[in-house]
Amino acid sequence: MTRDHRINEQIRVKEVRVIDVDGNQLGVIPVREALRLAEQRELDLVEVAPQARPPVCRIMDYGKYRYEQSKREKEARKNQKVISIKEVKLRPNIEDHDFEVKAKNAVRFLKDGNKVKATIMFRGRQIVHPDLGKKLLVRLAEKVADLANVERQPKLEGKNMIMILAPKQQQD
């Protein structure tokens, strides 16, 4: 949760439903008494459900709660995979060896879990033969078919033809 909870004196209602440290409901009591109960235990009164009528407050160590929450968020961020798009640029009249090098790079990017944007750049009059570019992209897609799915079919955009390949999900 990114929004901050109201704690202790920030709670501005007359009555609140109170839950103690062990999760037991203490019922609906005036805020002053709830604050006194929290102070006796050297803990905080934290509003956990402000939209409820009356609002629900919990007696807890707010500092410890915030610390554990930040640890959980950090762990969640660590476990998420960031997918970026890597680009492989080709020309319509590329030599076989150069094509193999570009395909090898695409394979490496896909194995790292990144998407690959394959771009054919047409120059000058090459644009009148978009079929050559399409053949090249289809050849690349076939080359990496065991590692990737075609997310976006080859499409001409201005002087470039673009195809996007996404890595296949590994079965665990």
Side-chain angles (χ1 to χ4, degrees):
M1 250 186 229
T2 52
R3 77 171 175 75
D4 290 319
H5 300 281
R6 284 192 281 215
I7 59 170
N8 300 335
E9 281 73 35
Q10 295 173 347
I11 300 169
R12 298 263 179 244
V13 289
K14 290 188 180 106
E15 290 185 326
V16 290
R17 182 177 304 277
V18 180
I19 301 170
D20 71 0
V21 184
D22 306 317
N24 303 321
Q25 288 209 18
L26 305 179
V28 178
I29 56 175
V31 170
R32 293 270 158 251
E33 192 172 323
L35 281 168
R36 193 178 49 71
L37 282 170
E39 253 174 53
Q40 283 174 352
R41 298 177 180 163
E42 295 181 359
L43 295 170
D44 300 306
L45 186 67
V46 181
E47 193 176 51
V48 290
Q51 70 283 357
R53 290 285 157 247
V56 179
C57 292
R58 184 176 218 133
I59 295 174
M60 65 167 85
D61 183 344
Y62 189 60
K64 182 179 175 185
Y65 168 76
R66 289 261 314 268
Y67 170 72
E68 287 174 350
Q69 196 173 26
S70 73
K71 268 179 58 175
R72 278 193 301 272
E73 286 171 2
K74 197 179 287 182
E75 192 66 32
R77 273 196 305 272
K78 194 168 76 175
N79 291 337
Q80 72 186 14
K81 179 85 174 91
V82 177
I83 294 177
S84 60
I85 296 182
K86 301 285 189 172
E87 189 170 16
V88 176
K89 291 187 173 187
L90 309 156
R91 300 263 173 192
N93 54 354
I94 191 169
E95 294 294 325
D96 282 343
H97 180 264
D98 295 335
F99 176 81
E100 293 301 321
V101 170
K102 297 289 186 175
K104 198 180 292 179
N105 285 341
V107 166
R108 184 167 43 94
F109 296 149
L110 290 164
K111 282 184 178 172
D112 290 345
N114 297 311
K115 289 184 179 182
V116 174
K117 176 181 174 183
T119 305
I120 304 272
M121 298 176 296
F122 294 101
R123 273 170 137 172
R125 296 221 177 126
Q126 292 174 339
I127 198 73
V128 296
H129 297 290
D131 52 317
L132 293 175
K134 191 167 184 128
K135 276 184 194 167
L136 204 57
L137 288 176
V138 168
R139 184 172 151 204
L140 179 66
E142 287 168 359
K143 184 102 177 151
V144 298
D146 54 330
L147 289 172
N149 298 321
V150 177
E151 188 174 275
R152 204 170 106 197
Q153 292 297 327
K155 185 178 173 203
L156 197 60
E157 292 181 3
K159 290 189 173 193
N160 297 331
M161 185 175 278
I162 295 169
M163 174 179 72
I164 295 179
L165 300 166
K168 284 185 178 173
Q169 302 302 320
Q170 273 75 33
Q171 280 77 32
D172 292 326

